[in-house]
Amino acid sequence: RNAVNDDTPAQRRPAAAGLSAARAARTGSSGALKPASGAGSIHFGMAWAATVTLLALCVYIVWTEQEADRRLNQSSMRNAALLLADRVDDGFEQADALLQSVAFRYQRAMASGDMRLQQLLEEVRHDAEVNPFIKRIGIVDANGHNFFNSGLAAPTTSGPSVAERAYFKRAAAGEK
């Protein structure tokens, strides 16, 4: 046999037992690795400090980004609400202007005769179609009879009467 393999398995066991004893001393009874004393424990402490610092930095960055996103979302929602409010206000102003125009043109058409009245009704029907804020327009005379409704096929003299409805009574009394 050569010189390297001259020792018997029984001679090798004490060295292995010594290695196991050293490993047991470093891991303790729980089996977890304990830092070695001296320079190893300094490196172990520095590694923990670096880990904690990086973790704190990551938490700070995520928190800062979330805060910036929250502020941006609030600003976006506020701007969207303002734009929507402006659009709704513009829609009401357009609808009000159109209805005032129809009332004025109706009064003039009534004084001018049937030909002008027929022309007005076609204009009102067109106005209702092209205005996105108006679904239909109705014209009620001073007695509460529904003279015209853009939702109906043709002007009627026997349309429904609104004379007994509360909103007509308030309007007839001058309430705006």
Side-chain angles (χ1 to χ4, degrees):
R1 294 202 167 221
N2 72 38
V4 177
N5 289 334
D6 279 347
D7 35 311
T8 64
Q11 292 172 336
R12 282 187 239 144
R13 268 192 219 127
L19 183 59
S20 295
R23 184 176 295 148
R26 288 199 53 208
T27 60
S29 63
S30 67
L33 187 63
K34 291 191 299 186
S37 61
S41 63
I42 290 174
H43 292 133
F44 189 75
M46 289 174 52
W48 269 107
T51 302
V52 168
T53 302
L54 287 175
L55 181 63
L57 182 61
C58 289
V59 167
Y60 174 76
I61 289 171
V62 168
W63 181 80
T64 303
E65 288 295 319
Q66 286 179 343
E67 186 66 23
D69 287 346
R70 187 185 64 78
R71 282 193 302 267
L72 182 63
N73 289 340
Q74 284 178 339
S75 177
S76 296
M77 290 299 290
R78 190 174 19 257
N79 290 339
L82 291 173
L83 288 172
L84 180 61
D86 285 345
R87 184 172 170 107
V88 169
D89 284 345
D90 289 346
F92 280 125
E93 288 175 8
Q94 288 177 10
D96 186 50
L98 176 61
L99 295 176
Q100 287 181 13
S101 170
V102 168
F104 176 75
R105 291 184 288 167
Y106 174 71
Q107 290 173 351
R108 289 188 59 198
M110 287 297 289
S112 298
D114 286 341
M115 180 81 148
R116 179 70 184 118
L117 196 55
Q118 238 0 73
Q119 183 182 3
L120 170 69
L121 298 180
E122 289 305 315
E123 289 173 2
V124 170
R125 195 177 301 279
H126 177 265
D127 289 345
E129 290 173 359
V130 298
N131 191 318
F133 300 104
I134 303 290
K135 185 172 182 177
R136 87 182 170 201
I137 297 175
I139 299 175
V140 177
D141 67 13
N143 297 322
H145 294 94
N146 190 347
F147 169 75
F148 170 77
N149 189 318
S150 64
L152 301 175
T156 63
T157 55
S158 62
S161 176
V162 295
E164 296 303 316
R165 296 185 185 174
Y167 67 84
F168 179 78
K169 289 178 179 178
R170 288 191 311 266
E175 184 180 325
K176 292 192 177 217

